[in-house]
Amino acid sequence: LGHDFAAIGGDEAKTGWIESVVDLNSGAELAGLKTAAELADLDELLFTFDDTVRIRGTAEAVYDYLYRADLWPERLPHVASLHLVEDEPGLQVMEMDTKAPDGSTHTTKSVRIGFPRRKIVYKQTVLPNAMAAHTGSW
């Protein structure tokens, strides 16, 4: 695993800091790769599905409903709370507390990218305990 980088202005202190962060991240990446490679049968762990719901309405209205995650606590009974940050249009970072049927809650964090009138893709970066990864699209 090799990395090439340079600090702006060639600052040695910044270069040293970058090098230590790259080394730390590389160790974590290699450990994750090792774990994934040692799994017996990845296909047994992968669960993929899709669902279709027919809606009488425009694509724009559906997109807006899904995109406006900031309103989900008011709209969806299983969403206990949601914090949304959108520093760049179309790029959202959200932290959501979800209510389980037993009354407990769990926190997830996701990054979402919106492609207006077409789709929203997401990846959870903090997951429920039962999952190793969670990605999807609407």
Side-chain angles (χ1 to χ4, degrees):
L1 182 62
H3 296 278
D4 293 317
F5 63 88
I8 295 173
D11 185 323
E12 286 191 33
K14 289 179 183 174
T15 300
W17 179 84
I18 293 169
E19 188 172 287
S20 67
V21 171
V22 167
D23 286 345
L24 179 67
N25 288 344
S26 296
E29 290 167 356
L30 289 171
L33 180 59
K34 178 182 185 291
T35 299
E38 291 175 344
L39 291 173
D41 186 359
L42 206 51
D43 288 338
E44 289 181 19
L45 300 175
L46 182 63
F47 180 70
T48 302
F49 70 94
D50 59 64
D51 196 5
T52 301
V53 177
R54 298 214 180 267
I55 299 171
R56 289 186 202 188
T58 65
E60 292 84 3
V62 173
Y63 179 88
D64 185 60
Y65 188 91
L66 295 170
Y67 190 77
R68 292 296 310 269
D70 58 314
L71 299 177
W72 287 3
E74 302 163 22
R75 295 176 166 177
L76 304 171
H78 71 284
V79 178
S81 66
L82 192 141
H83 177 71
L84 182 72
V85 176
E86 186 171 1
D87 291 332
E88 297 282 332
L91 178 59
Q92 299 177 330
V93 178
M94 61 186 236
E95 182 172 333
M96 179 171 66
D97 290 330
T98 303
K99 299 176 206 170
D102 67 1
S104 64
T105 61
H106 65 271
T107 301
T108 57
K109 292 183 182 178
S110 302
V111 176
R112 299 175 2 133
I113 302 172
F115 300 91
R117 295 192 207 142
R118 292 186 323 186
K119 68 179 171 179
I120 299 168
V121 296
Y122 65 90
K123 177 179 180 169
Q124 285 189 343
T125 58
V126 174
L127 303 131
N129 290 334
M131 296 180 181
H134 183 192
T135 63
S137 66
W138 288 297

